[in-house]
Amino acid sequence: MKSTMANRNTDIDDRVEDLSPGILEIEAKSEAGFSLSPRRENRFQKYSNALSHMIPVRKVKRSKYEFPLAKSGCISNLFYSWLTPVMWKIFRKGVDFLENIQILEEDSAKVNSDRFERLWKEEVRTVGVAKSSFARVLYRFVRTRVIVAFCIILIFCAFSLANPIFLIHNFLEYLSQGEITVGMGLAYVAGIFFCESGRTLTGAALWNLGYRSGVRVRAGATSFLFKKVLRLKSLKDKTVGELVNLVGNDGQRLFEATAIGPLVFCAPFVLLGGSIYSVYLLGPYGLIGTTIFLGFYPFAALISKLTTKFRREGIQITDKRVRMMTELLTCVKLIKMYAWEKPFAKTISDIRSKERGVLEKGAYVQSVSTSIASMVPVFSSVITFITYVATGNELTAAKAFTFVSLLNSMRFSLGVLPYAIKALAEVFVSMKRYKSVLCMEEITQPKCNVASSNQRIAMQEATFSWGIIESAEKKNSQSKGSISKPMMNGGHFTDDTTALREADETTMLDAVPEPCLTDITFVLERGKLMGVCGSVGAGKTSLISAILGRMDLLSGKMAVNGSIAYVPQQAWITNTTVRENILFGLPYNEKRYKEIVHACALNADFHTFVSGDATEIGERGLNLSGGQKQRISMARAVYSDSEIYLLDDPLSAVDVHVGHHIATEVLLKLLKGKTVLFVTHQLQYLVHCDEVMFLKDGQIEEKGTHDELMQQDGEYSGLIKMYYSEQMEEDEEDDIVPEGILSSLSASDINKDKSANALPGESTPVGKAPPPLERLFSRGAMMGNISPISHKKEVPLERMFSRGAGMGPAPPTLERLFSRGAMVEKPQPEMFSGGPGVRVERQFSTLSSSSSGDGDGGGKLIVAEERSTDSVAITVYRQYIQDGGGCLVCFGVFAVFFLAVAAQTGANWFLSFWLNQGNGNNTMVTVDNVTMSSNNGRINEHPMRNTYTLIYGMFMVVMLTLNFCRAFVFMKATLKASSGLHDRAFKHILDSPMEFFDTTPTGRIVNRFSADMDEVDIRLPMQSEVFINNVLQVVFSLLMICYMSPWFLVAMIPLIALFGCLFVMFVRCARNLKRMDAVTKSPLVSHITASVQGISTIHAYGKIEDFVTKFQKLLDINSVPFFVFFSASRWLSVRLDLLCVCISGVTGLIIVFNYDNITPALAGLALSFAVQMTGLFQFTVRLAIETESRFTSVQRIQEYAKDASSDDLMTVSDTEPSTDWPAEGKIVYNRLRMRYREGMPLALKGVSFSVEPQEKIGIVGRSGSGKSSLGVALFRLVEAASGTIYIDGIDISKVSHYNLRSKLAIIPQDPVLFVGTVRYNLDPFSEHAEVSLWDALQKCHVKDTIASLDDKLDAMVVENGENFSVGERQLLCLARALLRHSKILMLDEATAAIDTETDTLVQTTIKEAFSDCTMLIIAHRLNTVLSCDKIMVMEDGKVAEFDKPSALMSRPDSKFKAMLEATERQQNAS
């Protein structure tokens, strides 16, 4: 990591922390003509830009799209005047104009990310990785800003204490004299007004500094973390869901800690000053109150520990839930087809239950902390005054209400303490999580150089592993009852039980690396084409990963010389246009682009897309077929014009015609002269390689030219012989190839007639001479190039790690299987190498123009996220209350809140009443028709002193009891509401039809269940509780002031009118800003997810900086509404605080001008409540707005809970069949018509045919012909427009989705495994005995692999199943299908990734195990269906032919026969 950072630009390296504008704004910003050198010659020059903000008024024009804060002056910053035009514009026109506003450079992600990187590099260089501290780096990042904040806090505390100490006390003493002058009274009132105004403005400056610091920390830290993730060699135990949570939610916690954390300094200063004055005022008894305040600190420390503990537990569970949600959404199509909604729902429900348990504990602790913090001033005054009076001291109104006002002033520092402590506690958890990622190993380039410039890749006795299995991890997982051995995922170590880890180098001391590739020695020279083949788990993909630098080099040497282009086995596609996917950041060259598009056979696809190559591709390429994704991936590689091409079985997802064309046009023409490492499972292409490498068990078994290896008669030769033997066994009637030929095959034999058979104008195709027609299409003809290794041999550990593509893209689910191709109109025939009139088979998708409905979408697939501008509907609150238990529970909660606040207010009122009683011999006077005593004598001489003391003390007991009850009831109600909301939304999402998932980005849904759910679970309840409590306090405060003098109501009229205008304006603005913040955050989540899934490709192409730049751009876009939203809340706060200052002034004026009718005790009571209003009122109103804004998260989740149409998975009708249905497996399609969405063309056009029980039907046809749509209709992923499908005489439209899909089985082309145990993947319902599981594994010839694992059936399957090879995943999926015992089975090229010998055994298993089943085999390669009972040819959504293979072959006009003959000619051309 040091080497990668060493050459960082000096100007960026020497940036110092930026400070936001404020009363003492100081910030470091690099400007044009301004350089920060390492010597830092002028220490103050770096603050020149910040100091310019201290000019009172700056008349500097800013550009249209410049952030308004850029040219603001001191007064504008203190009053947030720079934001007023923005607020007015948002109020009138909405927030759309903010999309063009650019965040300030010093607040941007890039500037702050670079600075974080420099500081982290210095930290590591100073103390080492193991002892490094992200907290220390964060402190250095904001150090100067914290110092400035500290100074502002001192001024703020001075204003807070000056008011009660110097003004209120002297004012009340002056009132107690009985004779006052208006002039002196007004002077005191003016002093109170000035102190309150000073406190308001210093508080505004403090928040301004904090928010801007937080924005920079959030932008810098998250951007730096994302950059680090993209540089990682492997993710180890980190999952996509965890990283999304880390960058999203933890970034928010960094912001909160930076903005609120410094406020912990307020409490010590206020407590110290308050304690000193309390002793001066009340003698040593004053320490009682301040001691109670001080006693809150140990309590707060305990709360902090508990909060940290519960937060740590909660984050782990939340990460697990988000990861499960991400996995579910990624593979939702397979889950629906297997009717696995119930086990997934149960798994997530169980996780949510555990999460709720932790959330309840944390919420109760937080609620108790908040309620006690609000009671501390009252407790302090009650205990102090009782003790003071009981010891015979005289308590006057001046002393009492000065002390009460002092405690209320101290209350702010104490009230904000729980928030500050909570923010700091949570950020410590987040910082540990950040460090765990930052300490992970980065990918590095090989240290060795090639011996000759003619060499591109060289390895000498190189041994590689996927990393180190950490024993500490093992112990951790065992202690939690999980797996005993973490399993590798291409460099990932995945432990399902934990998501929160701390990197510690000491845990690596007793770890043992596990070799995956051993003693690899070869040289790939410039311009050479090397083919690589081998069995499943032989290490082919691992070899490519090693070249890419994703594996650890344990011994030997490796050198790579040149730029790399990489085509992974499972294509990774970004959510951009087709052209952008191909260009991948390079400039557009029309001639070269068109040439590559033609070579990759994409022209016909572009013609059918809505907007051609400008059509948007969905996330993970979900609206493309597997072949289209692979061809786009290939086109991207060719367009990159790199020097080295690493092709990992790129032709496996395309049919034989298209694969033949791509091999001819790309491998032999466009890549001629390039260095190519070509991993393939298709034998016919190896003959044209300059050299062939055969891998076995992670070692090079054989290496040489094709002819040389054939002459050696070794493993490779045996592979070729087995290939032809398989074909001969399939055709016993026509034995054309003599036995002797198998021993003498060579390149010259294979290619001797290729020139004669090539079409005019075509380049010589790639391939080898096939056997005759019938044998050509026998099973296994197109299978992988696998050596004849005995299946009885124990599978070595390396087999587990063969798919070490590491953090490659998540495997496609079933887009290939059920692509939307069936709805595509037949394109024009395009001749590549077939015979006359033969069209090359293509995969078409939902991007086709014929499937685009009205075609007005302009190629847009993803539905834009709604940005509602209305207020939160009353129905949202009503439903939230309903989820929380209903109106009765809501009323009960409010009643407890009301009684708790009433008790606090009553304590102060009773104090005023007690003081007015004097010694009991008071003169009664009437004030505004209210009779009261005139306070004559000392209250400690009152005959009922003990009674008053007891009553006053009982208020404390009542408050304590009510607040504990309040905390418990509120916690239960809010978490019941959030859990009910989560469960309903999740159920509706799970029941949504596939159309919803096709048009909704995964990141958007995950954002609802991560960031929005985090808001509803944690922040909304916390804010709502404080809001309700503060509203009641404001109401009771105003009532107390009105109790003093009803004239106060008259003064309130203009203040209320002004407040109404501010409130209405702010509500609309805050609502829109909050929603814009949420909407602009969704692309961030999607970008993180896509980037992590495609990290291998990003590394290979050297596009890390491009993806980091895009992330920083998206983050800067989000930072604008994010920062404006928080600034807007302070904009309102300043204005509301000034309104409250006016209330204090009005109260003082009423006291001065109406003193004859007001006692000093009553005046003190009113004044203490008025001063208390200054901070309380603005905080309450701001809480009201922010609480409503946070309710937008509730609304966003509720949208998914009610808007998504349902699949009605479990709906049972009167015609529901018996439990043993289907008993026979007869299928009848009767005039079935089906379209994918309303307004689209028909994909199936009146299809009718019948399949008898136990028949094996092969379904063939061009992609787009409708064969996959037959499966879509059978599984009812899309409902039929008309017509019916009958299974054993039952109309499946009358059967619930669950009963239908649970009785069917499918073995997909792209295998999908889920995180969990092997047992869970095979039997999610726990319906089968263990012996049945082993039996199924044995029949599928994967038993040895599972038995070799430490935990066997309980061994963990990592994310995407990447600790198993693709072939092993396929076999596990086959075992899963075996266990279902379905009478109807659908296969889609289910053994394409399995070696020849295993394929032979598996095919036998399929025939035996499914002999009593009806099978539908969707064939992308014709050889797999010739042994079927019948063949169905689909064309343009109709059944073109349906008969026995022999009958179809006997027809001269048979379309099936024409397809076979075309393929034969194509192969003969080789």
Side-chain angles (χ1 to χ4, degrees), residues 853-1141:
D854 55 16
D856 294 335
K860 289 290 288 182
L861 169 81
I862 302 302
V863 177
E865 187 167 10
E866 289 188 10
R867 188 186 300 168
S868 174
T869 57
D870 298 329
S871 61
V872 176
I874 191 67
T875 54
V876 175
Y877 299 105
R878 187 184 300 124
Q879 184 60 55
Y880 183 78
I881 291 172
Q882 193 65 35
D883 288 334
C887 295
L888 189 61
V889 172
C890 178
F891 178 78
V893 171
F894 182 79
V896 176
F897 269 90
F898 182 88
L899 293 174
V901 177
Q904 293 183 38
T905 306
N908 286 327
W909 172 85
F910 186 79
L911 175 63
S912 173
F913 173 79
W914 186 11
L915 290 171
N916 278 327
Q917 302 306 308
N919 59 12
N921 297 319
N922 300 333
T923 303
M924 305 306 295
V925 298
T926 300
V927 178
D928 291 337
N929 297 323
V930 177
T931 302
M932 60 181 68
S933 65
S934 61
N935 189 20
N936 297 319
R938 302 170 60 179
I939 63 172
N940 60 346
E941 297 175 354
H942 198 287
M944 296 181 63
R945 185 191 71 178
N946 293 337
T947 303
Y948 285 143
T949 303
L950 178 62
I951 294 174
Y952 193 43
M954 285 300 296
F955 276 103
M956 187 171 60
V957 178
V958 173
M959 282 188 291
L960 198 62
T961 303
L962 288 173
N963 277 281
F964 274 105
C965 291
R966 185 193 84 177
F968 180 80
V969 172
F970 187 77
M971 174 270 295
K972 283 291 185 182
T974 52
L975 280 175
K976 187 176 187 298
S978 64
S979 294
L981 178 62
H982 173 276
D983 294 343
R984 285 190 302 107
F986 177 66
K987 182 180 183 303
H988 279 76
I989 289 290
L990 208 58
D991 292 346
S992 298
M994 284 307 304
E995 176 186 350
F996 170 78
F997 298 100
D998 288 345
T999 57
T1000 306
T1002 300
R1004 186 182 302 171
I1005 303 175
V1006 171
N1007 194 31
R1008 304 279 172 110
F1009 285 92
S1010 56
D1012 285 325
M1013 205 65 228
D1014 190 64
E1015 290 271 318
V1016 178
D1017 280 337
I1018 299 174
R1019 289 176 177 77
L1020 177 62
M1022 186 174 68
Q1023 283 203 334
S1024 299
E1025 180 181 19
V1026 179
F1027 167 66
I1028 297 171
N1029 184 74
N1030 286 7
V1031 164
L1032 292 172
Q1033 286 191 351
V1034 168
V1035 170
F1036 276 103
S1037 296
L1038 292 175
L1039 289 175
M1040 287 296 100
I1041 297 174
C1042 293
Y1043 173 75
M1044 176 201 70
S1045 174
W1047 287 105
F1048 180 73
L1049 293 174
V1050 177
M1052 283 295 295
I1053 293 176
L1055 297 178
I1056 290 175
L1058 184 57
F1059 162 74
C1061 294
L1062 291 173
F1063 184 80
V1064 171
M1065 180 178 179
F1066 180 77
V1067 165
R1068 181 183 297 181
C1069 296
R1071 184 190 308 128
N1072 291 339
L1073 287 168
K1074 185 63 177 177
R1075 288 197 177 105
M1076 186 179 182
D1077 172 42
V1079 169
T1080 54
K1081 188 180 291 183
S1082 290
L1084 269 175
V1085 176
S1086 296
H1087 184 67
I1088 297 166
T1089 304
S1091 300
V1092 175
Q1093 288 176 343
I1095 197 167
S1096 295
T1097 305
I1098 295 171
H1099 279 167
Y1101 285 93
K1103 296 294 182 180
I1104 292 177
E1105 290 303 321
D1106 291 350
F1107 276 77
V1108 170
T1109 300
K1110 182 177 180 181
F1111 176 84
Q1112 291 172 344
K1113 180 181 178 182
L1114 291 171
L1115 187 56
D1116 287 343
I1117 291 173
N1118 175 251
S1119 292
V1120 173
F1122 181 83
F1123 179 55
V1124 172
F1125 171 76
F1126 282 98
S1127 296
S1129 67
R1130 304 317 309 175
W1131 175 87
L1132 179 69
S1133 297
V1134 170
R1135 282 146 184 79
L1136 293 181
D1137 270 347
L1138 293 177
L1139 280 179
C1140 291
V1141 170

Side-chain angles (χ1 to χ4, degrees), residues 1110-1380:
K1110 182 177 180 181
F1111 176 84
Q1112 291 172 344
K1113 180 181 178 182
L1114 291 171
L1115 187 56
D1116 287 343
I1117 291 173
N1118 175 251
S1119 292
V1120 173
F1122 181 83
F1123 179 55
V1124 172
F1125 171 76
F1126 282 98
S1127 296
S1129 67
R1130 304 317 309 175
W1131 175 87
L1132 179 69
S1133 297
V1134 170
R1135 282 146 184 79
L1136 293 181
D1137 270 347
L1138 293 177
L1139 280 179
C1140 291
V1141 170
C1142 294
I1143 290 177
S1144 299
V1146 169
T1147 303
L1149 292 176
I1150 291 175
I1151 292 172
V1152 170
F1153 289 106
N1154 197 32
Y1155 176 72
D1156 293 339
N1157 298 320
I1158 298 174
T1159 65
L1162 198 57
L1165 177 69
L1167 204 55
S1168 65
F1169 276 113
V1171 171
Q1172 175 183 297
M1173 286 275 292
T1174 302
L1176 183 64
F1177 183 58
Q1178 61 89 4
F1179 185 51
T1180 303
V1181 173
R1182 189 164 49 84
L1183 275 176
I1185 309 304
E1186 292 185 6
T1187 300
E1188 194 221 26
S1189 297
R1190 296 195 187 279
F1191 260 101
T1192 59
S1193 292
V1194 177
Q1195 186 177 33
R1196 283 161 56 84
I1197 299 174
Q1198 283 186 3
E1199 288 171 0
Y1200 280 179
K1202 64 182 180 180
D1203 286 349
S1205 57
S1206 174
D1207 256 354
D1208 294 329
L1209 181 71
M1210 301 300 294
T1211 301
V1212 179
S1213 65
D1214 296 336
T1215 59
E1216 205 71 21
S1218 60
T1219 55
D1220 62 346
W1221 174 87
E1224 298 179 351
K1226 182 176 181 179
I1227 306 173
V1228 177
Y1229 280 68
N1230 182 26
R1231 292 181 291 182
L1232 186 74
R1233 300 167 74 244
M1234 188 267 287
R1235 56 169 53 91
Y1236 282 92
R1237 285 193 289 275
E1238 194 67 32
M1240 289 188 171
L1242 289 171
L1244 295 177
K1245 305 174 182 179
V1247 172
S1248 296
F1249 64 90
S1250 176
V1251 180
E1252 295 302 318
Q1254 302 180 17
E1255 271 193 331
K1256 310 300 184 282
I1257 307 299
I1259 305 173
V1260 299
R1262 313 298 183 191
S1263 288
S1265 60
K1267 59 184 185 296
S1268 295
S1269 297
L1270 294 174
V1272 172
L1274 182 64
F1275 280 84
R1276 287 180 59 197
L1277 292 179
V1278 176
E1279 298 296 339
S1282 64
T1284 52
I1285 301 177
Y1286 296 95
I1287 297 180
D1288 282 1
I1290 300 293
D1291 182 356
I1292 67 170
S1293 65
K1294 307 298 183 184
V1295 182
S1296 68
H1297 286 90
Y1298 175 76
N1299 281 342
L1300 171 65
R1301 295 168 183 169
S1302 63
K1303 299 302 175 64
L1304 306 177
I1306 183 169
I1307 304 176
Q1309 180 187 24
D1310 297 313
V1312 176
L1313 298 181
F1314 306 99
V1315 173
T1317 63
V1318 174
R1319 186 192 306 274
Y1320 173 75
N1321 273 275
L1322 296 175
D1323 184 24
F1325 285 100
S1326 301
E1327 295 174 335
H1328 303 283
E1330 184 164 326
V1331 64
S1332 299
L1333 303 184
W1334 284 115
D1335 183 56
L1337 293 172
Q1338 184 173 14
K1339 289 179 179 178
C1340 297
H1341 309 284
V1342 73
K1343 179 181 178 180
D1344 291 341
T1345 301
I1346 304 303
S1348 67
L1349 304 178
D1350 287 351
D1351 295 315
K1352 297 179 173 56
L1353 289 176
D1354 293 320
M1356 294 302 298
V1357 178
V1358 303
E1359 194 168 17
N1360 302 325
E1362 289 183 0
N1363 56 326
F1364 293 95
S1365 72
V1366 175
E1368 289 163 341
R1369 287 180 238 169
Q1370 198 80 67
L1371 294 173
L1372 288 173
C1373 290
L1374 179 61
R1376 177 195 299 160
L1378 274 173
L1379 288 167
R1380 287 173 75 89

Side-chain angles (χ1 to χ4, degrees), residues 723-734 774-781 1399-1400 1403 1407 1423-1428:
Y723 173 74
Y724 281 96
S725 296
E726 286 288 321
Q727 297 173 5
M728 292 173 64
E729 291 172 5
E730 285 293 319
D731 186 11
E732 297 176 355
E733 297 178 358
D734 190 7
E774 290 80 1
R775 214 179 302 124
L776 172 66
F777 293 100
S778 63
R779 186 189 77 262
D1399 176 49
T1400 303
Q1403 292 292 350
K1407 289 179 180 179
N1423 61 283
T1424 59
V1425 298
L1426 283 179
S1427 61
C1428 293

Side-chain angles (χ1 to χ4, degrees), residues 342-357:
K342 286 176 64 178
F344 260 87
K346 184 178 184 304
T347 300
I348 292 181
S349 177
D350 291 343
I351 296 174
R352 176 63 186 175
S353 297
K354 294 179 182 178
E355 184 182 23
R356 180 178 174 180

